[in-house]
Amino acid sequence: MPKNTKVTQREHSNEPVTESVADLLSLEHPMDYKSSQMSMGLSPGSTAPVKALIPSPDPDAEDGRPAWNNKLQYILAQVGFSVGLGNVWRFPYLCQKNGGGAYLVPYFILLILIGIPLFFLELAVGQRIRRGSIGVWNYVYPQLGGIGVSSLMVCGFVGLYYNVIIGWSIFYFVQSFQYPLPWAECPIQVNGTQAIVVPECEKSSATTYFWYRQTLNITSTIDDTGGLNWKMTLSLLVAWILVCLAVIKGIQSSGKVMYFSSLFPYLVLFCFLVRGLMLKGAVDGIAHMFTPKLEKMLEPQVWREAATQVFFALGLGFGGVIAFSSYNKRDNNCHFDAALVSTINFVTSILATLVVFAVLGFKANVMNEKCVVDNAERILGFLNTGVLSNELIPPHINFSHLSTEDYAEMYGVIKTVKDDSFGQLGLDACLLEDELNKAVQGTGLAFIAFTEAMTHFPASPFWSVMFFFMLINLGLGSMIGTMTGITTPILDAFKVRKEILCVACCIIAFLLGLLFVQRSGNYFVTMFDDYSAGLPLTVVVFLENISVAWIYGTKRFMQDLEDMLGFRPHSFYYYMWRYVSPAILVVLIVATVIEMAISPAGYNAWVEAEGAESFHSYPPWALAMAYSLIVLAMLPLPLVFIVRHFNLISDGSNKLSVSYRKGMMKEISNLEEQDEQRFILNKNPSEAPSPMPAHRPYLGPGGTQEMTNTNYGTSTKTGYQNIGSPESEL
């Protein structure tokens, strides 16, 4: 490049560089191209083959960023991240609680209105800017750079307790390699010469006792820590080792892991569905599941919970979606990816719901038959003692082969005749509907209800091994995405070895995770699940939507998508991003705040003497800890805005990294060479072929930033709001 150009003068001066490449070129004096000599070694007037005059650099390769080996690997990684434990134990619970088949209507509507559009938005910005969550939002609008930091902090909070759940699954997985299963029967306690069932187990159930006492060895309150549970501590260590090994080699390694961790759960779910449909009562469970209660659709709570589930099912706001998409080529069809992954996620939720309710239908029949037997024995006792008359029993009733229909008939007769004293008899109706209405979710579904159902399966250890291995794989898929959401922005901002960073993160996370493997650890898992992610993530995604749709501009973003994808997305996305999605997110934020204000803050504590759970309010220190999680997760949002608004730290717009400056100068040099070569061929620049494909925009320094001039009235705006380096400091 000639040394007297203004661009070179700016390069060697101390003045801040704020212009885009296009602005810099527009200010240059005309050069005498015919008399200039290029570094390519051509003398004035000489010619060269056209092939050498029209370079076609590959910006995706030049920035040195890792890339997915193939499209399938990337899709499986996104599916593995979005499809997690919530699809198996949260969605079926909400479906049962909120009207069965009727719940699918608001869920599907909200999936279309906020799920797919916002998922598409995160995929697009990650793929275009090719940075993690911090770099992306620093680049789009520096004053909202706190979005990426908040995402990283929420990922950290969620990863701490989410891996504890994987640790629990590992413990159950190991315990499944024995027959009978250790939670199949209550343990026997020897008291002198007598052998009795452990009272705590007798008052609850074998699976409940194994969960609370044998696994967690839980305390009765959150104030009593009880010390570390060594079994859970060891399980947590194994879980973090697995996650660290999967993440430490980067996307090439984690992508290969996804082939198994993403596909194996579908194999298990399909096997469970086939086996479940062969069980007695499975049809009852599925019929109960999809029987619509249309009146539920009119309740605002149903729509709020559907919106929340859509929001978290796709992993929005965590940074994992952006991190994974940042390793794509810029011309990848992320619109197709958004629709595909969202559809797979929804279908997986339906498949998991079918499996859960087929198995729970079988369990409900087993428990209902047990109820009939227990109450029939009680009635026989009343008959033998004369409390009830034999005349009350219909003549066709056979107590040795008593069906649920016969018991229901006998129960109705006794209730009618003994109306005044019926309550004193203590008889249960033993209705199948009551068993099916016992909604369970989360750990209650996976570690109590489902494990109890599997004890009645033939070859129960095999199914238990399959089930908990599936949970481990689902958890690992989500944890890999969560850890990628943490490590990618850090690696983009700081040049550290990936192996060192991953090992350091895992060690720190394990040490912090010891909080959750105390005997009272389950109460802290509940606290983090309720407070650390819900409201902060909703606010994060709302600000993501606002920064792209209103600050950067929806029209400009749509034009960027057209340049990147080769086609313009449907105008549906324009209206969703600009109006509908922000409005729904505001309503969701307000509803969440109202619910937190009116609902008592507490947890379900296990009472050993009663063998049951009891609701306890959080003590003041625990309540302060719960709300501090929300504050810490959201604090970067106003903090970064304030310090950048008052220029207390650089936002990157007036400071370019060395690599960025070198890349910018290289691109300018390439443009000047191309212009001179066109003059050598006696072509005007407008007539010469473009060095980039028609559907690709001009890419800025390093191939990571778009420099497009868009005229709005008399002013000219270039590219994204900030032309600063995505690697600039916060």
Side-chain angles (χ1 to χ4, degrees):
M1 177 183 295
K3 295 183 178 180
N4 60 347
T5 62
K6 289 186 176 180
V7 176
T8 308
Q9 292 172 9
R10 291 186 183 92
E11 170 66 12
H12 293 286
S13 69
N14 294 323
E15 296 179 2
V17 181
T18 58
E19 300 94 339
S20 69
V21 175
D23 291 335
L24 292 170
L25 292 175
S26 65
L27 296 174
E28 289 295 296
H29 292 301
M31 294 180 59
D32 185 3
Y33 288 93
K34 293 184 179 181
S35 62
S36 66
Q37 295 187 9
M38 308 299 290
S39 60
M40 59 187 292
L42 296 177
S43 59
S46 64
T47 61
V50 176
K51 182 177 181 180
L53 297 180
I54 309 175
S56 55
D58 183 0
D60 295 327
E62 286 183 358
D63 64 6
R65 193 171 186 80
W68 297 102
N69 292 334
N70 53 65
K71 182 66 173 281
L72 177 61
Q73 189 180 93
Y74 163 69
I75 292 296
L76 290 178
Q78 289 286 16
V79 169
F81 174 57
S82 64
V83 175
L85 298 174
N87 296 77
V88 175
W89 66 30
R90 178 69 177 168
F91 184 88
Y93 162 76
L94 292 175
C95 202
Q96 179 189 24
K97 175 187 173 184
N98 296 318
Y103 173 75
L104 299 178
V105 176
Y107 183 87
F108 185 75
I109 291 175
L110 292 169
L111 178 66
I112 299 297
L113 295 182
I114 64 173
I116 296 178
L118 294 177
F119 192 62
F120 180 27
L121 183 146
E122 288 201 355
L123 289 179
V125 296
Q127 179 176 308
R128 182 62 191 88
I129 304 175
R130 295 174 66 80
R131 289 292 183 269
S133 56
I134 294 179
V136 160
W137 303 114
N138 280 341
Y139 184 33
V140 173
Y141 189 62
Q143 292 184 358
L144 288 180
I147 293 175
V149 184
S150 289
S151 293
L152 189 147
M153 295 192 68
V154 172
C155 277
F157 288 148
V158 172
L160 286 177
Y161 76 85
Y162 201 89
N163 222 25
V164 175
I165 301 175
I166 299 178
W168 294 341
S169 302
I170 292 173
F171 176 75
Y172 267 77
F173 173 74
V174 173
Q175 293 292 316
S176 298
F177 288 94
Q178 52 186 304
Y179 184 82
L181 291 170
W183 52 81
E185 297 178 355
C186 283
I188 303 299
Q189 178 179 340
V190 179
N191 185 9
T193 59
Q194 284 186 324
I196 60 173
V197 176
V198 175
E200 184 182 5
C201 185
E202 188 176 21
K203 293 176 182 178
S204 54
S205 67
T207 52
T208 304
Y209 174 81
F210 186 86
W211 167 243
Y212 283 111
R213 188 55 53 212
Q214 301 284 69
T215 304
L216 301 178
N217 194 18
I218 199 166
T219 58
S220 57
T221 65
I222 196 173
D223 292 298
D224 181 11
T225 61
L228 289 178
N229 182 336
W230 69 268
K231 292 183 290 187
M232 293 302 101
T233 303
L234 183 61
S235 299
L236 179 63
L237 177 62
V238 173
W240 275 115
I241 290 174
L242 291 176
V243 171
C244 191
L245 291 176
V247 177
I248 198 169
K249 294 298 183 181
I251 63 169
Q252 284 78 12
S253 174
S254 60
K256 293 182 176 65
V257 172
M258 288 297 179
Y259 279 117
F260 183 80
S261 64
S262 298
L263 296 177
F264 179 75
Y266 290 96
L267 174 63
V268 176
L269 285 175
F270 181 75
C271 292
F272 262 97
L273 179 62
V274 173
R275 184 67 185 92
L277 292 176
M278 297 170 62
L279 297 171
K280 179 183 178 181
V283 176
D284 296 328
I286 294 176
H288 177 79
M289 168 65 232
F290 286 104
T291 301
K293 301 179 180 66
L294 298 179
E295 66 277 5
K296 286 279 189 179
M297 291 179 57
L298 302 178
E299 298 179 8
Q301 177 75 1
V302 174
W303 289 83
R304 188 191 70 80
E305 292 189 345
T308 304
Q309 178 62 18
V310 167
F311 188 76
F312 290 108
L314 294 174
L316 299 175
F318 281 94
V321 173
I322 292 176
F324 278 152
S325 66
S326 71
Y327 299 112
N328 270 327
K329 293 184 177 181
R330 288 187 186 83
D331 56 358
N332 173 64
N333 190 348
C334 55
H335 176 263
F336 171 79
D337 299 343
L340 178 63
V341 174
S342 301
T343 302
I344 292 175
N345 190 293
F346 179 66
V347 172
T348 304
S349 297
I350 299 297
L351 175 61
T353 301
L354 287 172
V355 171
V356 167
F357 279 89
V359 174
L360 292 185
F362 164 71
K363 174 180 176 289
N365 271 267
V366 171
M367 300 305 295
N368 194 57
E369 290 176 357
K370 181 181 178 182
C371 176
V372 169
V373 171
D374 292 342
N375 282 270
E377 291 178 355
R378 188 172 299 174
I379 292 174
L380 279 174
F382 291 147
L383 292 174
N384 293 332
T385 58
V387 176
L388 294 177
S389 171
N390 288 322
E391 296 177 356
L392 296 178
I393 308 302
H396 65 277
I397 297 295
N398 183 357
F399 278 92
S400 61
H401 298 87
L402 189 64
S403 65
T404 54
E405 292 80 9
D406 291 340
Y407 174 79
E409 182 182 354
M410 182 171 58
Y411 177 86
V413 173
I414 296 174
K415 184 177 182 181
T416 303
V417 175
K418 295 285 186 177
D419 187 32
D420 296 335
S421 59
F422 181 77
Q424 300 175 1
L425 299 177
L427 297 177
D428 292 327
C430 295
L431 296 177
L432 182 64
E433 190 75 11
D434 292 341
E435 289 291 338
L436 291 172
N437 282 330
K438 292 179 180 179
V440 288
Q441 66 164 324
T443 56
L445 174 63
F447 299 107
I448 298 177
F450 222 84
T451 51
E452 184 173 352
M454 285 187 295
T455 59
H456 301 287
F457 280 21
S460 55
F462 169 78
W463 294 103
S464 183
V465 168
M466 293 280 283
F467 176 72
F468 288 108
F469 195 39
M470 177 191 71
L471 292 187
I472 293 171
N473 278 275
L474 286 173
L476 284 177
S478 297
M479 272 303 299
I480 290 173
T482 301
M483 288 297 293
T484 305
I486 295 174
T487 58
T488 297
I490 296 177
L491 290 171
D492 289 340
F494 307 100
K495 301 307 178 184
V496 297
R497 286 180 59 86
K498 182 178 297 181
E499 294 81 1
I500 296 176
L501 175 64
C502 291
V503 172
C505 287
C506 291
I507 292 175
I508 294 172
F510 170 73
L511 294 176
L512 294 175
L514 294 178
L515 172 70
F516 306 102
V517 291
Q518 302 175 102
R519 291 180 58 196
S520 61
N522 188 47
Y523 304 139
F524 290 99
V525 171
T526 302
M527 177 194 293
F528 272 64
D529 190 36
D530 291 340
Y531 290 93
S532 68
L535 183 61
L537 274 184
T538 312
V539 173
V540 162
V541 176
F542 171 73
L543 293 177
E544 289 180 358
N545 195 168
I546 292 299
S547 64
V548 172
W550 287 91
I551 297 177
Y552 177 68
T554 312
K555 291 182 179 179
R556 299 171 65 197
F557 186 57
M558 293 287 282
Q559 182 60 48
D560 290 342
L561 290 174
E562 182 177 1
D563 295 337
M564 186 169 67
L565 302 177
F567 63 90
R568 191 176 187 85
H570 195 275
S571 58
F572 163 81
Y573 291 103
Y574 176 88
Y575 295 104
M576 292 301 105
W577 287 329
R578 192 163 181 85
Y579 304 111
V580 179
S581 295
I584 294 177
L585 289 173
V586 167
V587 172
L588 185 58
I589 292 171
V590 173
T592 303
V593 172
I594 292 175
E595 184 190 22
M596 292 176 62
I598 64 177
S599 299
Y603 61 101
N604 290 320
W606 179 254
V607 182
E608 181 178 355
E610 300 176 4
E613 289 183 333
S614 176
F615 183 82
H616 288 192
S617 296
Y618 282 123
W621 67 266
L623 193 61
M625 180 179 179
Y627 287 120
S628 68
L629 294 174
I630 300 176
V631 174
L632 286 174
M634 298 176 62
L635 186 61
L637 297 171
L639 190 62
V640 173
F641 182 87
I642 291 172
V643 297
R644 285 185 171 167
H645 181 75
F646 293 101
N647 296 319
L648 300 180
I649 63 172
S650 171
D651 62 4
S653 61
N654 293 325
K655 181 179 179 181
L656 302 178
S657 65
V658 175
S659 61
Y660 185 76
R661 289 165 63 93
K662 289 181 179 178
M664 184 183 73
M665 302 311 298
K666 178 179 179 181
E667 291 291 340
I668 297 173
S669 177
N670 287 340
L671 285 180
E672 290 186 343
E673 290 177 6
Q674 292 163 19
D675 284 341
E676 179 167 0
Q677 292 159 7
R678 291 168 186 156
F679 273 91
I680 292 173
L681 294 175
N682 295 323
K683 290 186 178 181
N684 295 325
S686 60
E687 297 173 351
S690 172
M692 298 294 291
H695 68 282
R696 299 282 293 275
Y698 173 69
L699 299 176
T704 61
Q705 298 180 345
E706 176 184 345
M707 306 297 181
T708 56
N709 285 346
T710 307
N711 295 325
Y712 294 90
T714 60
S715 64
T716 301
K717 299 182 180 180
T718 58
Y720 282 85
Q721 290 286 332
N722 169 35
I723 306 302
S725 168
E727 299 173 355
S728 60
E729 73 251 26
L730 303 179

